[in-house]
Amino acid sequence: FGPVGLLALWRAVRSRDLASQLLAAALIWTIIVSLASAEPRSALLGFAGRDLSALTVCAASGFWMLGRLTSPRGRVLLGGVVAWAATVSGLVGIAQVVGAVETGPLALAFGRPTGLASNPVYFGAISAAGLMLCVTVWRPSNWRRFLVPLLVLGAATSVSGSRVALVAALFAIVVHTAVRRDRSSLLAGGMGVAALASGVLLDRVAGAGRNAADRLIDGSGGGRTTVWRYGLEAFADRPLTGHGFGRFRPAVQDKFTAEFVRENAIDDVTQAWFDAHNVGIGVLVAVGVIGTALLIAWAAAWLPSIRGPFAWALLPLALHWCLQ
């Protein structure tokens, strides 16, 4: 679907749609930066599936364009599909915790579930976004359709162990309730909070004690502020062109101190840090000030027009991008 979306993007560019033109310019700049990077192949195609690349950015842009072309009826149907697909992943993650799965493709990652995602962070982000989607569309008239996904995804958000997912979900629920200020949003928000609490309880009783609430209380920033500083230093090294997507770790690795590596590396051979855990800094390092300006202009051109359930689901995802 990504190439189909890119074809639609090209057509929108030719019709002089401003947001599409800005995004196309950003993609062209991303490819130029990738070709000029120290490792064009990894910048263009990615490395070991661990980070963004020009390829994944282009594919995501194609999906964005398809989203713009989806009809109102299609968006309603897609909301249910997304909610239930995330629910299936949530049930898998909960089963991982309850069953204490230690081997095989669904083994827990350091005591935390992955669901059908590749790691607990993605699992938490998907669950939080799905929870917010259900909270937004839940009504007393359709409670049978969205009640189970709402409860499962709330619990999955907590058992994921992602502190950002928990905080983002709570924040999005509070903002949604304050904006809507009706009985349905209050009830849905209350059920969402109760589902989040049930996930904490479930993990404490049957899991490894790695739920998001306990990690939020016990954990630290995990070196985020330090790596953000490294990222800004790497941006200063190449402020105009950047280093290319997927090149964050090579850009900052020579700035690592021995103490930072000791505190953050899992073992002697694992990389200490491979991304910025902050979308702004990550983009600055990847495509420099020119590419960042183009992407900001693109977002400014279309963000004011978004609304509906998927707009609310975007909120916890956006908070994830700032810290994960």
Side-chain angles (χ1 to χ4, degrees), residues 58-77:
C58 287
S61 300
F63 276 102
W64 171 81
M65 191 64 209
L66 291 178
R68 293 187 75 196
L69 298 176
T70 304
S71 67
R73 175 59 177 165
R75 295 183 187 191
V76 172
L77 294 174

Side-chain angles (χ1 to χ4, degrees), residues 222-311:
R224 281 175 174 80
T225 55
T226 301
V227 86
W228 292 345
R229 175 167 55 83
Y230 292 158
L232 291 175
E233 292 174 1
F235 161 66
D237 293 339
R238 300 186 67 174
L240 293 180
T241 61
H243 298 262
F245 281 109
R247 302 291 302 157
F248 181 82
R249 186 172 71 99
V252 300
Q253 190 167 13
D254 64 340
K255 307 177 192 307
F256 289 175
T257 64
E259 180 182 4
F260 176 79
V261 174
R262 280 196 301 269
E263 292 178 353
N264 291 277
I266 298 173
D267 52 45
D268 290 340
V269 296
T270 303
Q271 55 194 17
W273 209 282
F274 64 89
D275 65 28
H277 277 43
N278 180 287
V279 64
I281 294 175
V283 169
L284 280 171
V285 174
V287 292
V289 68
I290 296 175
T292 301
L294 288 170
L295 289 170
I296 291 175
W298 160 69
W302 69 270
L303 275 175
S305 66
I306 68 170
R307 57 184 56 85
F310 281 108

Side-chain angles (χ1 to χ4, degrees), residues 76-131:
V76 172
L77 294 174
L78 186 60
V81 172
V82 170
W84 280 100
T87 300
V88 172
S89 179
L91 287 171
V92 171
I94 291 172
Q96 287 176 278
V97 171
V98 174
V101 181
E102 296 181 355
T103 59
L106 294 179
L108 294 168
F110 305 102
R112 298 166 57 189
T114 58
L116 298 179
S118 58
N119 64 55
V121 171
Y122 294 156
F123 175 59
I126 292 169
S127 299
L131 170 64

